[in-house]
Amino acid sequence: MHRPLLLSALLLPALVAQAEESDVTASDINTWKGSAELGSIRTTGNTDTSSLNAKFGVFHKGLRWDSGLKLEALTSQEDDVTSKEKYAAALQLNRNFAENHYLALLAEYEDDRFSGYEYQSLVSAGYGYRAIHEQDMALDLEAGPGYRYDRLDEGGVIEEGAVLRLAAKFFWTIREGVEFGQLVSMDDGAESTVWKSETGLKSQINGSLATKLTYKVKHTSDVPEDSKNTDTEFGVTLVYSF
């Protein structure tokens, strides 16, 4: 499997979704919602450091299909030397069959230039169940097969194979203007197992602006030589919602 095939796997569900939704009137579909996040830190003195954390996401809920796209970029420099550089994208399409049941289609791509990989990618299709579906709280559970395609920095070696993907997504509006989110996933394959966790707490400042604290953990059971198994990120960002 090569990059064009991965791109096709990512785009094909989107085209199907568009065709399915084309006969649905505008009154049946919610408007698009999205957010843009930006965080930056700059220190000077004994050590000059700077970092930039940017995220963009859009979500659309339809009569048959729900769709979401997330883009992320993280860079960090210390004494004019790049110490962290990561770019990631994720597209998820959910085909609703009933109020609490859906087909989850996911495509992910990550380019972390200090991970030992040139890039890592995943496509999966699985069953989704909305265990909690209330106005101020939601819990989605997903399980299904997927396919991982990774390319190592050293020698361009390809690691690929089938995986089992499990995921849980929890959202809770604690009170008006304060939201908590927890996303946990596991991709279990013959080559390695990847665990991901993202915890976020967002506090609204006014109608469109909010601050957000985010803590992310990624653990890979088997990694390239001289790479660490666990990566963590802590971010403080300003969020603009639209």
Side-chain angles (χ1 to χ4, degrees), residues 49-78:
T49 63
S50 63
S51 64
L52 178 66
N53 184 9
K55 300 179 182 180
F56 176 81
V58 289
F59 177 78
H60 183 257
K61 184 173 180 61
L63 184 62
R64 298 186 184 92
W65 289 87
D66 299 336
S67 54
L69 172 67
K70 294 195 300 183
L71 304 174
E72 298 183 30
L74 172 65
T75 63
S76 181
Q77 287 189 331
E78 184 172 342

Side-chain angles (χ1 to χ4, degrees), residues 75-103:
T75 63
S76 181
Q77 287 189 331
E78 184 172 342
D79 293 331
D80 296 326
V81 177
T82 300
S83 57
K84 184 72 174 178
E85 187 172 3
K86 185 178 77 170
Y87 307 95
L91 172 66
Q92 179 157 352
L93 300 170
N94 297 336
R95 175 58 164 90
N96 300 308
F97 295 108
E99 183 178 0
N100 296 323
H101 306 274
Y102 61 94
L103 171 67

Side-chain angles (χ1 to χ4, degrees), residues 150-164:
D150 303 336
R151 183 183 181 94
L152 277 67
D153 277 332
E154 187 175 349
V157 177
I158 299 297
E159 293 182 351
E160 59 181 318
V163 300
L164 170 64

Side-chain angles (χ1 to χ4, degrees), residues 35-51:
S35 64
E37 301 181 32
L38 183 64
S40 179
I41 298 176
R42 172 72 178 175
T43 64
T44 61
N46 294 321
T47 303
D48 292 335
T49 63
S50 63
S51 64

